């Protein structure tokens, strides 16, 4: 959690710990101590719903009502796949032999709890693609923590007081893999999507997102083609097309990660890319990070630096 972000809710006090809840919490954290499985499952959920490769969509607001309703089911499925949880007897999952229901909400803490979950543990999950954060916590469903019945199907949510006391947080305000299209101003988005050709759109994407991580799903959304990652590579992809402009595109490969780290750039992880324009090193730039490629030193180009053909990146 970012130091600048206050906790959403405090954890449950020590004297109210639930032995089964603590057992489930320990099992989850042992399997996913840094929340990587949770984060990947939630990123996958948004990407599946938006289906950018076929629709060009990248915002939650672009989804149809029925698709938004389906989000909770996809979260449950993708988390179960990520952790390989067994099916519960009465609830969604069996974790260490304990029944656990799973609920997702776009509003933090406002999970809709069905009557059959009474007495059981619940894994409450929240994620916001626009904010780029997610949270997950455990709580026991009891009459005392729920609002009065108002829904025809009997579903209820946690009371405002319960949201602040009963949730035992696994992770709070963790970063969700970024969808960079949500961070760009509209004129940049318009420029990226201006071409009717997917390959040209991908070129423009990497021109306009230099020094920032671009995920595989963003490339798919912009390209809207089969084998969309081919549009990034050499031999006709953006690496070849942008090389005369001095731009290189670093990928997930070990040698590329070394280059990114040497230049002080974000290091691309699995399925990620980072573009940057390079210029030859000069003594006047002696204090700047540099990397040697093709027998020559290179630094990150400034706005006023002339364009030169970029070096070839090392083999994978």
């Amino acid at each position: 959690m970012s130091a600048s972000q206050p906790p959403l809710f405090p954890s449950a006090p020590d004297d109210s710990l639930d032995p089964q809840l603590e057992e489930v919490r320990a099992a989850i954290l042992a399997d996913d101590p840094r929340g990587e499985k949770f984060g990947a499952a939630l990123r996958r959920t948004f990407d599946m719903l938006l289906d950018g490769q076929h629709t060009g969509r990248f915002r939650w607001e672009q989804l149809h009502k029925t698709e938004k309703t389906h989000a909770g089911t996809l979260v449950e499925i993708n988390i179960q796949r990520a952790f390989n949880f067994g099916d519960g007897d009465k609830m969604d999952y069996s974790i260490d032999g304990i029944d656990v229901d799973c609920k997702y909400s776009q509003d933090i803490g406002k999970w809709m709890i069905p009557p059959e979950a009474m007495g059981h543990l619940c894994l409450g999950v929240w994620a916001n693609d626009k904010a780029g954060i997610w949270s997950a916590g455990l709580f026991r469903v009891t009459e005392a923590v729920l609002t009065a019945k108002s829904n025809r199907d009997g579903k209820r949510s946690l009371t405002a007081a319960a949201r602040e006391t009963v949730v035992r947080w696994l992770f709070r305000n963790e970063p969700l893999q970024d969808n960079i299209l949500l961070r760009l101003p509209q004129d940049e988005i318009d420029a990226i999507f201006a071409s009717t050709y997917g390959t040209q759109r991908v070129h423009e994407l990497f021109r306009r997102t230099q020094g920032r991580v671009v995920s595989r799903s963003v490339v798919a959304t912009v390209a809207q083609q089969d084998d969309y990652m081919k549009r990034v590579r050499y031999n006709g992809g953006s690496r070849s097309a942008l090389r005369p402009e001095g731009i290189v595109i670093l990928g997930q490969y070990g040698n590329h990660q070394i280059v990114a780290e040497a230049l002080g750039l974000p290091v691309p992880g699995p399925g990620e890319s980072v573009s940057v324009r390079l210029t030859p090193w000069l003594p006047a730039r002696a204090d700047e990070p540099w990397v040697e490629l093709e027998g020559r030193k290179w630094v990150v180009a400034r706005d006023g630096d002339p364009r030169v053909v970029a070096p070839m990146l090392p083999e994978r």
Side-chain angles (χ1 to χ4, degrees):
M1 182 176 67
S2 169
S4 64
Q5 294 171 324
L8 294 174
F9 312 127
S11 296
D14 291 341
D15 61 4
S16 66
L17 295 184
D18 178 324
Q20 282 194 333
L21 185 151
E22 292 303 310
E23 183 178 343
V24 169
R25 183 174 186 271
I28 292 174
L29 292 178
D31 195 12
D32 192 23
R34 292 182 293 275
E36 293 169 349
K37 290 186 177 182
F38 267 114
L42 291 166
R43 178 72 268 161
R44 177 171 170 76
T45 297
F46 283 119
D47 292 343
M48 290 173 67
L49 285 166
L50 292 165
D51 192 19
Q53 180 183 353
H54 300 105
T55 67
R57 301 179 303 185
F58 56 90
R59 294 188 180 96
W60 174 265
E61 293 78 14
Q62 293 173 304
L63 295 174
H64 298 298
K65 183 178 179 180
T66 51
E67 292 173 312
K68 293 177 181 178
T69 303
H70 191 47
T73 301
L74 279 181
V75 168
E76 294 167 20
I77 291 170
N78 287 329
I79 288 177
Q80 185 168 32
R81 288 176 177 172
F83 286 88
N84 197 28
F85 292 145
D87 291 333
D89 180 25
K90 296 180 180 179
M91 298 291 101
D92 295 318
Y93 309 146
S94 176
I95 304 176
D96 266 20
I98 300 168
D99 262 16
V100 179
D101 206 23
C102 180
K103 291 297 169 214
Y104 169 79
S105 174
Q106 271 280 301
D107 297 313
I108 184 66
K110 294 185 179 180
W111 304 291
M112 297 306 296
I113 314 300
E116 59 269 24
M118 184 63 68
H120 291 281
L121 293 178
C122 185
L123 172 63
V125 182
W126 168 80
N128 187 305
D129 202 11
K130 187 173 183 179
I133 52 176
W134 63 273
S135 299
L138 293 162
F139 58 93
R140 173 80 65 181
V141 180
T142 65
E143 189 67 38
V145 305
L146 297 179
T147 57
K149 294 181 181 179
S150 61
N151 197 304
R152 283 188 299 176
D153 58 10
K155 291 183 179 180
R156 301 149 76 185
S157 61
L158 294 179
T159 64
R163 290 179 217 154
E164 307 223 2
T165 56
V166 304
V167 181
R168 184 81 162 117
W169 290 103
L170 295 158
F171 301 98
R172 293 183 293 185
N173 279 3
E174 292 293 323
L176 185 68
Q177 184 187 42
D178 203 22
N179 177 353
I180 197 171
L181 295 175
L182 295 175
R183 312 287 168 245
L184 299 176
Q186 190 58 47
D187 61 329
E188 300 274 3
I189 294 294
D190 293 342
I192 289 169
F193 284 93
S195 176
T196 57
Y197 298 100
T199 301
Q200 295 299 321
R201 293 196 296 269
V202 175
H203 298 345
E204 197 63 30
L205 169 70
F206 284 109
R207 284 192 186 100
R208 293 175 179 273
T209 57
Q210 292 181 46
R212 303 171 71 176
V213 174
V214 175
S215 68
R216 180 190 299 268
S217 61
V218 167
V219 175
T221 300
V222 171
Q224 296 174 49
Q225 296 173 328
D226 293 333
D227 196 11
Y228 47 86
M229 290 306 291
K230 183 179 180 180
R231 277 62 191 174
V232 180
R233 304 169 192 153
Y234 286 119
N235 301 320
S238 292
R239 283 200 179 104
S240 297
L242 300 182
R243 190 180 172 216
E245 302 175 24
I247 297 173
V248 297
I249 302 174
L250 305 167
Q252 66 186 24
Y253 319 117
N255 285 341
H256 290 201
Q257 292 174 331
I258 291 171
V259 172
E261 190 169 8
L263 292 173
L265 297 168
V267 178
E272 295 178 338
S273 304
V274 176
S275 62
V276 64
R277 188 167 72 91
L278 300 180
T279 192
W281 177 91
L282 295 172
R285 312 280 283 269
D287 294 335
E288 298 181 24
W290 58 270
V291 67
E292 185 172 335
L293 296 169
E294 294 189 320
R296 190 176 186 182
K297 291 182 179 179
W298 298 84
V299 296
V300 175
R302 299 172 180 170
D303 289 342
D305 290 331
R307 286 186 180 182
V308 297
V309 176
M312 291 287 291
L313 292 172
E315 296 291 331
R316 299 181 187 180

